[in-house]
Amino acid sequence: MGTDDGLIQVSEDGGATWRRVENLPGVPDMTYVNDLEASWHDPNTVFAVLNNHKRGDFAPYVMVSRDRGRSWMAITGDLPGRG
């Protein structure tokens, strides 16, 4: 599932409390969070795919966090700039 406000919400206690992730490095504010996927192999790893096409930005944004969303790194690699 994703969000249209550029935010990622993380819960580590079954939804009793939530931590808000507001800024991903290199990703413009309010970029649509298209999808989040937790790793099947590592409970600390999550992947995020974002897009900003509504603002005319067609660059792909693919991110990974290996610490449950506390820090993020781009893994976009050599995907086409207008992918």
Side-chain angles (χ1 to χ4, degrees):
M1 81 176 80
T3 64
D4 64 354
D5 58 6
L7 302 176
I8 295 173
Q9 307 287 339
V10 180
S11 177
E12 298 180 64
D13 57 10
T17 60
W18 293 87
R19 178 171 36 89
R20 187 161 136 166
V21 177
E22 297 185 44
N23 300 308
L24 299 177
V27 178
D29 289 342
M30 299 294 291
T31 297
Y32 179 74
V33 181
N34 196 60
D35 198 14
L36 294 170
E37 287 289 331
S39 169
W40 288 28
H41 306 286
D42 179 359
N44 297 312
T45 299
V46 62
F47 300 92
V49 179
L50 304 96
N51 75 66
N52 199 27
H53 72 276
K54 290 183 179 181
R55 292 186 175 81
D57 174 4
F58 294 94
Y61 298 99
V62 184
M63 311 293 288
V64 64
S65 172
R66 301 200 188 281
D67 56 7
R68 297 185 182 213
R70 287 178 179 79
S71 64
W72 293 86
M73 177 178 70
I75 57 170
T76 305
D78 61 356
L79 290 175
R82 288 186 55 89

